[in-house]
């Protein structure tokens, strides 16, 4: 992997402090009727009598051996809590759309933990859809959460969220069907890739790169710079260069050759274990983000969910998970634990990045809810969604 050219310590992108809890901004985009509070939407915890929970996560995001998930099974054995583990999150916006009517109406969504990326996590918290966590049940999290993830703007005290993993967005290509791809701009312009390029449905990921190649800073840009980047994306899509916009499901098309090159998440490519498909740090740099566990309103097994969150912040468990998923581990002490699990991974910057490495990545500018709604609409129109 090349040395990274850009900047900024690991920092979750999300709603600005202005947007959090602001009825004015929420009502401005038509979501006022969906805002909940602790008084308007009360939840009952049945954890003591019901030793179970439902955990919704992204695909390829937990350790697997055959049909087993060893760390999850160990949790079940230690606690007696039966976990239903679903991989039904493929895209933040898509999942948000599936659950917004129920959560906005204070109705259960049948899940005790959901795992959302920074800005979507922030939106859900600002709308009052998540239950406040009991930190007395999270001693490992309190002790071992890495410093750079402790105070995101959208949940500054981590009252509602616990990071599952953090990761990087770059590009990948299939060496059987394409010559080496070294930059995002190259992916959008090379004639041999036309019709075989994949971009992400995640607005922040795709548009961060579009802003960079148009000379803007994704962490501090104007509306005019946004419009220039959107216009450029519209032109690229109209040219036929892009085959499709994807969520977590791009791996299948990349392996088959339907996609010759695409935007990709670091751990996905590691989990694919395919020598034909390298993860590339493009010349424009890497995006950085975190995915966060939260307990939605009306979930009935909150204490059970907190027990699982706390379990995964044991350094040995965290290192075991990290050795499989190859995402940035959010747990202090896991690097030392990795010495015994797989010493070859101790200095892997995709799992335990150095400060220099983190200092050269970028996140996406925090947005208030009204601006986010507009930008999401712009992005959907440009991408043809």
């Amino acid at each position: 992997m090349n040395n990274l050219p850009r900047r900024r310590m690991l920092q979750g992108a999300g709603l600005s402090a202005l947007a959090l809890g602001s009825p004015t901004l929420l009502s401005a985009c038509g979501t006022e009727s969906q805002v909940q509070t602790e008084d308007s939407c009360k939840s009952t915890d049945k954890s003591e009598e019901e030793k179970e929970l439902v955990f919704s996560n992204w695909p390829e995001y937990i350790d697997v051996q055959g049909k087993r998930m060893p760390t999850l099974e160990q949790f079940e054995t230690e606690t007696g809590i039966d976990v239903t583990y679903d991989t039904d999150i493929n895209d933040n916006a898509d999942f948000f759309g599936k659950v917004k009517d129920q959560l906005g109406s204070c109705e259960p969504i049948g899940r005790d933990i959901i795992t959302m990326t920074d800005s979507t996590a922030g939106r859900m918290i600002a709308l009052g859809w998540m239950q406040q966590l009991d930190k007395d049940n999270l001693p490992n999290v309190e002790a071992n959460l890495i410093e750079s993830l402790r105070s995101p703007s959208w949940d500054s005290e981590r009252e509602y969220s616990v990071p599952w993993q953090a990761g990087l967005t770059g590009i990948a290509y299939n060496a059987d069907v394409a010559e080496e791809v070294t930059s995002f701009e190259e992916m959008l312009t090379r004639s041999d890739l036309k019709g075989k390029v994949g971009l992400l449905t995640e607005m922040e990921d795709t548009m961060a790169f579009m802003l960079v190649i148009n000379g803007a800073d994704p962490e501090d840009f104007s509306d005019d710079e946004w419009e220039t980047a959107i216009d450029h994306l519209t032109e690229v899509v109209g040219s036929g260069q892009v085959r499709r916009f994807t969520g977590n499901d791009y791996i299948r098309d990349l392996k088959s050759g339907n996609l010759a090159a695409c935007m990709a998440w670091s751990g996905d490519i590691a989990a694919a274990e395919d020598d034909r498909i390298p993860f590339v740090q493009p010349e424009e740099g890497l995006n950085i983000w975190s995915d966060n566990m939260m307990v939605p309103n009306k979930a009935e097994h909150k204490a059970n969910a907190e027990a699982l969150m706390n379990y995964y912040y044991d350094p040995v468990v965290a290192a075991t998970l990290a050795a499989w998923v190859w995402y940035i581990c959010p747990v202090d002490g896991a690097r030392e634990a990795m010495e015994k699990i797989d010493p070859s991974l101790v200095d892997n910057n995709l799992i335990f990045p150095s400060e220099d490495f983190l200092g050269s990545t970028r996140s996406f500018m925090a947005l208030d809810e009204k601006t986010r709604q507009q930008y999401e609409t712009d992005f959907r129109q440009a991408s043809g969604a």
Side-chain angles (χ1 to χ4, degrees), residues 164-175:
W164 173 250
Q165 303 287 292
L168 302 163
T169 306
I171 59 178
Y173 67 95
N174 185 327

Side-chain angles (χ1 to χ4, degrees), residues 7-16 117-119 153-154 202-212 216-222 226 229-230 286-289 361-368 371-372 375-376 379:
R7 67 182 187 281
R8 188 67 72 91
M9 282 297 292
L10 178 60
Q11 171 182 316
L15 297 177
S16 67
T117 310
D118 300 308
S119 59
S153 61
W154 44 268
E202 298 296 329
M203 182 266 285
E204 290 95 335
D205 272 328
T206 295
M207 290 309 299
F209 280 106
M210 294 303 304
L211 285 158
V212 168
D217 181 353
E219 294 176 335
D220 184 15
F221 59 90
S222 66
W226 169 262
I230 279 290
L286 292 164
N287 299 343
I288 196 162
W289 42 265
T361 59
R362 60 162 177 265
S363 55
F364 196 85
M365 186 173 77
L367 303 173
D368 63 64
T371 302
R372 169 165 297 283
Y375 282 7
E376 291 280 6
F379 180 67

Side-chain angles (χ1 to χ4, degrees), residues 145-162:
L145 175 59
I146 60 175
E147 188 62 34
S148 56
L149 286 176
R150 284 186 176 268
S151 300
S153 61
W154 44 268
D155 188 14
S156 61
E157 300 297 324
R158 285 291 182 187
E159 294 179 296
Y160 298 90
S161 64
V162 172

Side-chain angles (χ1 to χ4, degrees), residues 307-344:
L308 184 142
M309 294 174 185
N310 194 62
Y311 165 80
Y312 274 100
Y313 271 70
D314 176 282
V316 174
V317 175
T320 303
L321 175 63
W324 196 90
V325 301
W326 275 48
Y327 279 103
I328 296 172
C329 182
V331 180
D332 264 339
R335 188 175 186 273
E336 291 74 17
M338 189 67 83
E339 292 276 8
K340 295 181 179 179
I341 294 170
D342 187 345
S344 70

Side-chain angles (χ1 to χ4, degrees), residues 9 25 127 141 159 191 196-197 204 220 266 278 284 324 358:
M9 282 297 292
L25 288 173
L127 288 162
V141 178
E159 294 179 296
S191 59
K196 292 187 176 182
V197 167
E204 290 95 335
D220 184 15
S266 51
E284 295 87 1
W324 196 90
L358 287 178

